[in-house]
Amino acid sequence: ITEADKQRLQELRDEEESAHLQLCKDVHDKSYDIYAGDGIENPDRARSWFTPTWQSMEEYYDVVCDRCRTGLAYYKNGIFQGLVKKSTRIRTNSPELAEALDLKCRCPQGEHVQMIGKSAALKEMQNYEPNFVQRAAKAIYNNMENNWRLRQIAQVMVTEELNDEEAEKERKAAQQ
């Protein structure tokens, strides 16, 4: 790789950080402010995790899901060849999502299919496997339910406070 190539690659990474990665951080920050769940996923060893933008994020859980645990597999001509580890890091403000996807590999050493040189198969693996989706969906739903309860409690508390203030005003007006 030439120096010009290295420089161009760094320019592209800087552009990605100032646009996409910053957007993800902004959404995460806003989600936290409004009690909404959020999540970001990238390969565990992606450089994006080490950028100043994502390093400056706060209030999150980081977990790694080894996708062999959710059934990610390589099939050649429709025939199962084996599980694929594909470690994916998830950053979320949802404890439910973090717990659901904190899955470390339990496979015996050397049991995974190596995907080097299988770019067409890797492209197909960009889609989530059903077990990953089911786990994430259930956790997201539970997080939404919990956040809804918190909002309802807050609304009741505010309503009670307003009612108390109104009663106090009426009491003071009656005393005058």
Side-chain angles (χ1 to χ4, degrees):
I1 187 167
T2 68
E3 283 303 314
D5 291 337
K6 287 180 186 177
Q7 183 176 353
R8 179 65 185 137
L9 179 59
Q10 188 58 52
E11 289 169 0
L12 290 171
R13 286 181 172 150
D14 292 345
E15 182 179 316
E16 176 77 5
E17 181 175 1
S18 66
H20 179 75
L21 301 184
Q22 184 63 51
L23 173 65
C24 292
K25 180 185 184 301
D26 292 346
V27 168
H28 170 79
D29 292 345
K30 188 63 176 175
S31 296
Y32 181 80
D33 291 345
I34 64 171
Y35 300 104
D38 80 305
I40 302 166
E41 68 86 14
N42 251 324
D44 181 41
R45 297 197 284 186
R47 292 181 66 140
S48 52
W49 298 114
F50 306 99
T51 61
T53 301
W54 280 11
Q55 288 286 305
S56 70
M57 292 174 81
E58 298 176 349
E59 306 293 340
Y60 62 82
Y61 303 89
D62 261 358
V63 296
V64 175
C65 179
D66 291 327
R67 305 270 292 280
C68 53
R69 288 283 307 279
T70 55
L72 183 63
Y74 173 56
Y75 292 85
K76 184 175 182 179
N77 299 322
I79 300 170
F80 176 80
Q81 302 295 307
L83 294 174
V84 177
K85 187 173 180 183
K86 194 177 183 185
S87 298
T88 302
R89 188 185 313 189
I90 294 96
R91 178 168 290 175
T92 180
N93 64 5
S94 165
E96 295 89 354
L97 186 60
E99 183 179 340
L101 295 178
D102 188 11
L103 301 168
K104 305 294 184 276
C105 174
R106 294 182 183 163
C107 301
Q109 187 72 20
E111 288 292 313
H112 300 112
V113 174
Q114 297 303 310
M115 298 307 296
I116 297 170
K118 299 179 176 88
S119 58
L122 281 171
K123 186 170 181 131
E124 288 180 29
M125 289 180 188
Q126 289 180 0
N127 297 323
Y128 297 118
E129 57 281 6
N131 189 22
F132 183 95
V133 172
Q134 290 166 353
R135 288 174 162 275
K138 182 177 179 181
I140 290 166
Y141 181 83
N142 290 339
N143 180 252
M144 288 171 48
E145 284 285 313
N146 288 336
N147 286 341
W148 179 82
R149 280 188 211 95
L150 290 173
R151 285 188 200 102
Q152 292 300 314
I153 291 168
Q155 184 178 3
V156 167
M157 291 171 62
V158 167
T159 301
E160 287 175 354
E161 189 174 317
L162 290 173
N163 289 341
D164 289 348
E165 288 175 10
E166 188 63 35
E168 181 65 20
K169 285 179 188 177
E170 289 174 7
R171 187 184 61 75
K172 285 181 181 180
Q175 288 177 349
Q176 293 176 352

